[in-house]
Amino acid sequence: MKICIINGPNLNLLGKRETSIYGSKSFETYFADLQKKHPTVGIHYFQSNIEGEIIDMLHEVGFDFDGIVLNAAAYTHTSIGIGDAVKAIRTNVVEVHISNVLSREDYRHKSYIAPNCKGLIMGFGLHGYQLAIEALIASNKD
Ligand code: DQA
């Protein structure tokens, strides 16, 4: 089974960035633990601060991977292009947010991506990525 985690802009700064909201662990540290917890799943990781690169990666993995975990970060609230890419591909996508975006500023309440996703997980910190992977594993068995 192959799952790709795609992180959007500024998520390369996890562990250093607004730690009261996003925590003090880097994604690389979290990712190593996640891979150890799921040794039978091929979990790939891609991060970009560039909208088109995220779209390119969705196209690349979106027809033969078994699942995609997407935290498009700020692009969630602005990018019709990423929303369209999620709609265009075949692989199920789970949208993840580390914070509960609905409890934050109004401009974070809109997602151009969620309507095209299998599901949405938010507010559980980095643990949300593991929850998304478990949900994708379970739905692949259905
Ligand atoms: C985020 C929430 C977004 O609103 C924000 O722009 C981010 C991170 C989250 O994971 O909580 O960069 O996607």
Side-chain angles (χ1 to χ4, degrees):
M1 182 169 195
K2 284 194 295 184
I3 290 180
C4 188
I5 297 174
I6 301 177
N7 271 345
N10 303 306
L11 293 174
N12 53 311
L13 295 182
L14 283 175
K16 295 184 194 143
R17 165 197 186 205
E18 296 180 273
T19 52
S20 60
I21 299 175
Y22 300 114
S24 48
K25 198 181 257 190
S26 73
F27 196 80
E28 285 68 22
T29 304
Y30 174 75
F31 184 62
D33 291 345
L34 195 60
Q35 283 181 308
K36 274 185 212 143
K37 278 189 189 129
H38 294 285
T40 59
V41 182
I43 310 176
H44 298 242
Y45 173 53
F46 176 75
Q47 188 278 330
S48 176
N49 296 318
I50 299 165
E51 186 175 13
E53 287 186 358
I54 295 169
I55 293 170
D56 284 345
M57 185 51 63
L58 286 164
H59 294 176
E60 197 173 316
V61 297
F63 292 89
D64 64 339
F65 272 52
D66 303 294
I68 296 170
V69 179
L70 174 61
N71 183 349
Y75 287 142
T76 306
H77 319 301
T78 61
S79 179
I80 295 168
I82 295 177
D84 280 354
V86 170
K87 200 171 192 174
I89 61 179
R90 203 180 306 131
T91 301
N92 282 332
V93 178
V94 177
E95 177 174 329
V96 167
H97 296 288
I98 297 162
S99 63
N100 178 352
V101 290
L102 296 179
S103 71
R104 300 179 64 194
E105 300 91 337
D106 285 355
Y107 58 80
R108 296 186 203 275
H109 297 182
K110 169 80 184 164
S111 172
Y112 284 97
I113 294 162
N116 303 321
C117 287
K118 176 90 175 159
L120 167 61
I121 293 167
M122 64 166 91
F124 295 101
L126 290 175
H127 186 55
Y129 291 89
Q130 187 181 330
L131 294 173
I133 285 172
E134 284 166 7
L136 284 165
I137 293 169
S139 64
N140 260 62
K141 284 182 189 148
D142 289 345

